[in-house]
Amino acid sequence: MNKTIIDLTEFRDWSGHLTGVQRVVYNIATHFSEDVTTVFASFDSATKQLVTDDIERYKSNSDSLLSTPPEIGTATNARITAQRLYFSIPYSIRRHITAEQKRQLKRVARRSLHQVRTLKAAAVRRGATQKAKIVQRDYADIESGDTIVIGGRLWDHPNYIQYLIEKKQTVAYRLVVILYDLIPIYQQHTFGQGLTEPYARYLFEVLSHADVVLPISRSSANDLARFADETGFTVLPRIDVIRLGDDIDMSTNALIPSWIDDKDKPFALCVGTIEARKNHVLLYQAYKLAKERGAILPKLYIVGKPGWLTGDVMHFFQHDSELRDAISIQGNVTDSELNWLYKHALFTLYPSQYEGWGLPIAESLVNGVPCIASHSSSMSEIAPGLVDSISPFDSAQLLEKMLYLQKPLNNHKRRSEIVNLYKPTTWQDTAESIVKAIS
């Protein structure tokens, strides 16, 4: 009997909160686990082989995955962390760093990465923690007629890509890849240096060897078609757009965060990694504009950890005394707390410049909460007419929308429209669309 292999490589070295990609993989795998023809596997970078895995062990550890702070568990994570630290330095300072100083920083980073590898290897050998302990697993055979579905960050695993390509030469299996976005290609300025080239190589290999590609939005599908045209592809794999579920972790109990001063006081909510592309600077500008005009806005809670190129805006948020009581950044929020925040927010904000989807928008709507979001890329697809759309470059327009939605009558009207017209997508729906695409 042919089998469907769901790839779980995303979790092998992951610790801390499940972010967007991990949430997608986890929820899809959970819904595939009931199918008797489904097996789970992950790529072992040490042996460069696919090994059997089990979604149940991630289910049982899901509480810790969702609530523990991130750690530097791999060289890849350490490298990304080092890059983020560098680009978090304000540009006014960074532009004075000399070429020799940059070389010294790279040498320090290389030594740090070597120490990370050494420490992790030592921890594995002595079994320091259950998480670090290597579990002996059987090799997972890909047989003719099998289908492997990969929803993780395949671009971070070039050895895995090579393994899949070589396996294609001897075994007639089907490779299905979930595609999130082409932001590193077409929005390069929102990332630090070094990601565009490996991501372009990953896309080239996907177009060359995948049988089915599943973009998570029409916007991402259009970007993929553009990339294929620009790189000379005339024959493409089958491309089917799927929609992500928006019931992620909403089943958890709602728990009021300890840092909420007054649970009855209205507040706005913004969920997402604090990085240049997410455009938190527009929130800062809108709140400053409100101060200048004497307008009163609800307190804003920003839920997310610092990511790419955040130095200047984080400095503004943390040191602008005028907004000290107006904006609060919370970087370690459990799903139970996030659930409470969604259910009690006056409205949510998502001013991102560009997205492959924009899950916090859908999560807001599934809770019946109005959302102000950018009209660019995929964000306009989520719920046309139900999202209060803005330009990601217009702080005055953002302020106008916030002032409109904080009025009780307007807010109630929008909530009624969302409750009556928005059709939630479950992760079971997503899993079924994947089955349909590969069947």
Side-chain angles (χ1 to χ4, degrees):
M1 180 185 293
N2 295 336
K3 60 184 180 291
T4 300
I5 303 170
I6 304 297
D7 178 74
L8 302 179
T9 305
E10 191 64 27
F11 300 121
R12 277 188 75 86
D13 296 305
W14 185 263
S15 60
H17 285 285
L18 297 183
T19 62
V21 173
Q22 292 84 40
R23 288 177 185 273
V24 172
V25 175
Y26 181 81
N27 281 278
I28 288 175
T30 298
H31 285 84
F32 267 92
S33 62
E34 299 176 1
D35 189 338
V36 295
T37 64
T38 296
V39 299
F40 298 99
S42 56
F43 185 73
D44 181 4
S45 57
T47 62
K48 297 183 180 179
Q49 294 291 328
L50 200 64
V51 296
T52 59
D53 211 329
D54 185 2
I55 188 60
E56 292 299 327
R57 71 190 187 109
Y58 302 115
K59 283 184 180 179
S60 62
N61 292 330
S62 61
D63 288 341
S64 61
L65 281 169
L66 294 169
S67 60
T68 55
E71 303 165 353
I72 297 178
T74 64
T76 299
N77 286 343
R79 181 168 60 251
I80 292 173
T81 300
Q83 289 173 336
R84 286 178 175 175
L85 287 173
Y86 173 76
F87 286 106
S88 69
I89 301 172
Y91 177 73
S92 59
I93 297 174
R94 199 169 68 239
R95 67 191 180 93
H96 295 296
I97 298 177
T98 66
E100 177 57 31
Q101 289 171 328
K102 288 181 181 179
R103 284 192 288 270
Q104 291 176 1
L105 287 171
K106 288 180 180 178
R107 285 195 290 269
V108 171
R110 282 195 292 269
R111 286 197 296 269
S112 298
L113 293 178
H114 175 73
Q115 290 172 347
V116 167
R117 295 189 185 100
T118 302
L119 288 171
K120 186 175 182 183
V124 169
R125 284 195 299 270
R126 65 176 179 266
T129 64
Q130 186 64 29
K131 193 173 185 64
K133 188 176 180 181
I134 290 180
V135 179
Q136 188 66 38
R137 300 188 183 281
D138 296 329
Y139 291 132
D141 292 328
I142 301 179
E143 299 172 318
S144 181
D146 287 349
T147 298
I148 181 167
V149 180
I150 300 181
R153 295 168 299 173
L154 188 57
W155 58 89
D156 271 348
H157 302 278
N159 288 335
Y160 192 7
I161 295 175
Q162 189 60 36
Y163 167 87
L164 294 167
I165 293 173
E166 292 176 357
K167 183 66 70 172
K168 275 272 187 181
Q169 297 171 1
T170 57
V171 178
Y173 76 94
R174 291 194 301 167
L175 173 61
V176 179
V177 178
I178 296 175
L179 178 77
Y180 294 96
D181 56 64
L182 279 77
I183 295 171
I185 306 298
Y186 296 122
Q187 297 286 309
Q188 298 180 25
H189 60 284
T190 63
F191 285 93
Q193 296 176 350
L195 182 59
T196 299
E197 184 177 338
Y199 200 82
R201 286 198 299 269
Y202 149 76
L203 288 174
F204 188 87
E205 299 296 4
V206 166
L207 288 175
S208 300
H209 300 285
D211 298 280
V212 182
V213 179
L214 303 175
I216 62 171
S217 65
R218 292 191 301 274
S219 174
S220 291
N222 292 338
D223 282 349
L224 183 63
R226 173 186 170 186
F227 178 84
D229 181 64
E230 292 174 349
T231 50
F233 277 90
T234 56
V235 179
L236 298 176
R238 176 177 172 178
I239 298 175
D240 283 346
V241 176
I242 61 171
R243 182 176 176 119
L244 299 182
D246 47 36
D247 58 341
I248 284 183
D249 302 317
M250 291 299 109
S251 60
T252 58
N253 294 325
L255 178 66
I256 182 171
S258 60
W259 35 264
I260 293 288
D261 298 326
D262 183 353
K263 66 181 181 66
D264 297 320
K265 188 176 181 180
F267 65 88
L269 176 66
C270 178
V271 178
T273 304
I274 305 171
E275 58 185 28
R277 175 173 56 87
K278 300 292 186 181
N279 204 27
H280 290 79
V281 68
L282 194 73
L283 302 177
Y284 173 80
Q285 292 168 346
Y287 270 76
K288 291 293 285 186
L289 188 60
K291 286 285 185 181
E292 182 181 83
R293 295 181 179 181
I296 306 298
L297 291 175
K299 183 160 186 174
L300 171 61
Y301 291 112
I302 298 176
V303 174
K305 293 182 179 295
W308 293 104
L309 309 175
T310 62
D312 291 341
V313 71
M314 286 294 292
H315 182 85
F316 292 158
F317 283 137
Q318 293 169 349
H319 299 284
D320 190 334
S321 59
E322 195 172 52
L323 298 183
R324 186 167 296 157
D325 297 326
I327 299 176
S328 175
I329 297 176
Q330 302 295 330
N332 193 23
V333 177
T334 67
D335 274 13
S336 295
E337 292 171 334
L338 182 59
N339 195 2
W340 187 92
L341 291 168
Y342 270 128
K343 292 183 184 302
H344 291 83
L346 185 62
F347 53 79
T348 64
L349 303 167
Y350 204 70
S352 179
Q353 292 185 20
Y354 208 90
E355 289 293 322
W357 182 235
L359 196 52
I361 300 174
E363 289 180 336
S364 180
L365 298 179
V366 82
N367 279 282
V369 179
C371 179
I372 303 171
S374 301
H375 57 50
S376 65
S377 60
S378 62
M379 292 172 283
S380 61
E381 300 177 33
I382 296 175
L386 295 180
V387 175
D388 288 84
S389 298
I390 59 166
S391 163
F393 310 108
D394 192 337
S395 57
Q397 187 182 33
L398 173 57
L399 174 58
E400 179 185 344
K401 293 285 188 180
M402 287 192 286
L403 292 174
Y404 175 83
L405 281 179
Q406 74 174 1
K407 294 180 180 178
L409 211 59
N410 298 335
N411 195 281
H412 177 74
K413 178 184 177 183
R414 178 58 84 190
R415 285 173 182 266
S416 296
E417 292 171 345
I418 292 170
V419 170
N420 291 326
L421 299 176
Y422 184 67
K423 297 180 180 179
T425 301
T426 68
W427 281 102
Q428 183 63 41
D429 295 333
T430 304
E432 289 175 359
S433 67
I434 294 174
V435 170
K436 181 179 179 181
I438 65 179
S439 62

